[in-house]
Amino acid sequence: MDNRPIGVFDSGLGGLTAVKELLKILPHENIVYFGDTGRVPYGSRSRETIMKYARQDAAFLKTYDVKMIIAACGTVSSVAENLGDGLGVPFTGVLRPTAEAAAKATKNRRVGVIGTTATIRSGSYRRALAEIDPGIEVFDQDCPLFVPLVENGFISEDDEVTRLVAQRYLEPLRQAQIDTLILGCTHYPIIQQIISKTVGKQVTLIDSGRETALFCARTLREQNLLCGREEEGDRRFFVSDQIEGFSKIAGIFLGCDVKNGVSHVDIESY
Ligand code: DGL
């Protein structure tokens, strides 16, 4: 039994979609979340910059004596694959659990992957899927406009702007007759209804936040690190930009009100 918190970080608040799943699967766990709202987005940045930011984010979480660290960010998981080396606690990004779930789900072995430009450019999902099953054909597409659309609230199922953008990005994947689509970015589950309608309801969507939360639960169980509390866990939130307006945006990703306060952190000092 281990009552230390789980540390979760993301380039911004999108990683709360993974926290939402953690709260369902592991409601008793304490969680410390860091969202790098002062430096988001990561998805359009260079590898070096993303590596530097990710190391600082993990170093900050370590000051809270976390028992496991989750990079709930598609971009970090793809670009900084070896971030876990030397951290001294179990680590996971979203990449491996998500690729494994997709490989399990596909029947026709035609898998689509969507993510930020950095994620798709890294080729990480192609490599991970090829390692699991070299027979899987991968069709990938970066969707850089999805993040700002979600952050600006263009998320309702019938939003015409988002539907048009989705059509532009996803039509080639629909034509490729994929049967499984990896939502390789934190923000995409928020518009999964639109994505599903565009690629076809028969396509299985793989939510990287959910798969990663399930992986985290398995890891903690295997390593005997689950907490021994009966009551609901504590949640602490940290951001690197202003804290005003946090609750409203956090609520979109978390799907519930954020009761606890949020604190500011000077991430450059880590
Ligand atoms: N969190 C990022 C991801 O999942 C999306 C936002 C960004 O570009 O930083 O890839």
Side-chain angles (χ1 to χ4, degrees), residues 225-245:
L225 291 173
L226 285 169
C227 79
R229 302 155 48 111
E230 292 292 314
E231 66 274 30
E232 194 176 85
D234 294 326
R235 284 97 209 207
R236 304 188 64 174
F237 301 96
F238 295 87
V239 291
S240 53
D241 196 15
Q242 61 180 16
I243 55 179
E244 286 77 29

Side-chain angles (χ1 to χ4, degrees), residues 75-142:
T75 302
V76 168
S77 310
S78 290
V79 174
E81 280 186 68
N82 56 1
L83 185 67
D85 299 352
L87 273 183
V89 289
F91 167 81
T92 186
V94 298
L95 178 64
R96 196 74 201 184
T98 308
E100 271 165 14
K104 214 184 243 175
T106 184
K107 303 249 171 347
N108 70 0
R109 294 160 108 198
R110 299 171 76 79
V111 174
V113 182
I114 54 176
T116 64
T117 301
T119 294
I120 299 304
R121 197 176 46 206
S122 75
S124 59
Y125 275 104
R126 279 185 180 274
R127 281 194 301 279
L129 286 163
E131 264 173 39
I132 299 165
D133 178 353
I136 290 178
E137 259 193 276
V138 178
F139 302 86
D140 54 11
Q141 173 67 53
D142 61 337

Side-chain angles (χ1 to χ4, degrees), residues 13 16 37 39 48 60-61 74 78 80 84 86 90 95-96 106 117 124 142 178 196 207 214 249 254 257 260 265:
L13 299 184
L16 292 171
T37 52
R39 304 189 297 194
E48 290 67 35
F60 165 70
L61 288 176
S78 290
L95 178 64
R96 196 74 201 184
T106 184
T117 301
S124 59
D142 61 337
I178 56 167
S196 174
D207 175 341
L214 288 167
I249 305 175
L254 218 42
D257 287 342
N260 309 53
V265 51

Side-chain angles (χ1 to χ4, degrees), residues 29-265:
E29 295 289 339
N30 300 321
I31 296 174
V32 178
Y33 180 87
F34 171 65
D36 198 0
T37 52
R39 304 189 297 194
V40 70
Y42 286 10
S44 50
R45 296 187 193 274
S46 69
R47 186 177 182 280
E48 290 67 35
T49 302
I50 296 166
M51 282 299 298
K52 176 186 151 200
Y53 288 179
R55 281 199 197 101
Q56 288 176 314
D57 301 345
F60 165 70
L61 288 176
K62 281 215 69 180
T63 64
Y64 280 84
D65 191 25
V66 291
K67 61 182 171 185
M68 178 166 183
I69 293 181
I70 302 177
C73 176
T75 302
V76 168
S77 310
S78 290
V79 174
E81 280 186 68
N82 56 1
L83 185 67
D85 299 352
L87 273 183
V89 289
F91 167 81
T92 186
V94 298
L95 178 64
R96 196 74 201 184
T98 308
E100 271 165 14
K104 214 184 243 175
T106 184
K107 303 249 171 347
N108 70 0
R109 294 160 108 198
R110 299 171 76 79
V111 174
V113 182
I114 54 176
T116 64
T117 301
T119 294
I120 299 304
R121 197 176 46 206
S122 75
S124 59
Y125 275 104
R126 279 185 180 274
R127 281 194 301 279
L129 286 163
E131 264 173 39
I132 299 165
D133 178 353
I136 290 178
E137 259 193 276
V138 178
F139 302 86
D140 54 11
Q141 173 67 53
D142 61 337
C143 306
L145 291 176
F146 279 172
V147 167
L149 283 169
V150 169
E151 295 205 335
N152 286 285
F154 290 55
I155 56 175
S156 82
E157 203 177 333
D158 48 11
D159 189 286
E160 285 193 17
V161 177
T162 306
R163 285 174 62 127
L164 269 179
V165 173
Q167 218 153 11
R168 177 73 78 90
Y169 286 143
L170 304 177
E171 181 57 21
L173 301 188
R174 199 186 62 77
Q175 286 190 10
Q177 297 185 324
I178 56 167
D179 74 349
T180 304
L181 176 63
I182 291 176
L183 307 181
C185 170
T186 48
H187 287 55
Y188 300 175
I190 307 291
I191 50 167
Q192 60 178 306
Q193 318 275 28
I194 296 178
I195 292 172
S196 174
K197 257 194 194 161
T198 312
V199 290
K201 297 271 185 205
Q202 74 287 357
V203 174
T204 306
L205 303 185
I206 307 290
D207 175 341
S208 56
R210 175 160 179 77
E211 297 309 328
T212 306
L214 288 167
F215 178 84
C216 171
R218 276 200 306 274
T219 306
L220 294 180
R221 197 167 300 119
E222 278 162 20
Q223 302 197 20
N224 205 18
L225 291 173
L226 285 169
C227 79
R229 302 155 48 111
E230 292 292 314
E231 66 274 30
E232 194 176 85
D234 294 326
R235 284 97 209 207
R236 304 188 64 174
F237 301 96
F238 295 87
V239 291
S240 53
D241 196 15
Q242 61 180 16
I243 55 179
E244 286 77 29
F246 170 84
S247 306
K248 191 163 162 253
I249 305 175
I252 295 178
F253 292 108
L254 218 42
C256 60
D257 287 342
V258 181
K259 288 179 231 125
N260 309 53
V262 55
S263 311
H264 178 265
V265 51

